[in-house]
Amino acid sequence: MSARAMLRLSLLCLLVVGSSHGASVAQAQKKGPPPWERKGRETGLPVPRFVSLKADNARMRIGPDFEYAIQWLYRAPGLPLEIIGEYGNWRQVRDCDGISGWMHRSLLSGATAWHP
């Protein structure tokens, strides 16, 4: 094979690899930011993030409104929770057992005395 033919083949390979890389970058950008860069739609704070329970009696509901049924009653102020979603004044939270539901933002505190 001549040097000129090898050069053409090399350039063709570079074009194919470069175009497939560009397509994969474009696909990744359409999917949105990676999980560590996502922001809450209400607060603009990172989601997921950790908070603690502020209230002595806090009700976890199955939906983001006071009309939704109560799923759990928490009586442990300071309990760490993970915010995984936001909707208005409601935060979708997950506890250490993996149970998730909705709590009003007034029941939660951004201050934590522990480190995740």
Side-chain angles (χ1 to χ4, degrees):
M1 184 179 270
S2 72
R4 184 175 230 147
M6 287 182 65
L7 181 61
R8 285 182 184 166
L9 183 59
S10 298
L11 289 174
L12 181 62
C13 288
L14 285 174
L15 286 174
V16 169
V17 170
S19 65
S20 66
H21 174 70
S24 63
V25 169
Q27 275 184 326
Q29 289 174 345
K30 287 181 184 178
K31 290 181 184 177
W36 59 87
E37 291 181 3
R38 292 193 179 124
K39 305 289 184 202
R41 64 190 255 178
E42 303 298 332
T43 62
L45 296 172
V47 171
R49 68 181 180 277
F50 287 92
V51 295
S52 60
L53 199 55
K54 182 165 61 172
D56 292 336
N57 290 311
R59 293 166 178 85
M60 178 187 282
R61 298 183 179 271
I62 62 171
D65 196 287
F66 289 113
E67 295 182 10
Y68 283 97
I70 297 169
Q71 185 175 6
W72 286 97
L73 176 63
Y74 291 89
R75 295 183 180 196
L79 179 75
L81 296 168
E82 182 181 23
I83 293 182
I84 57 175
E86 299 179 349
Y87 182 78
N89 288 322
W90 293 85
R91 305 296 176 256
Q92 187 177 22
V93 297
R94 181 171 38 220
D95 69 11
C96 60
D97 293 324
I99 298 169
S100 63
W102 293 87
M103 289 188 168
H104 194 271
R105 68 182 179 96
S106 65
L107 302 172
L108 305 171
S109 171
T112 56
W114 50 272
H115 301 283

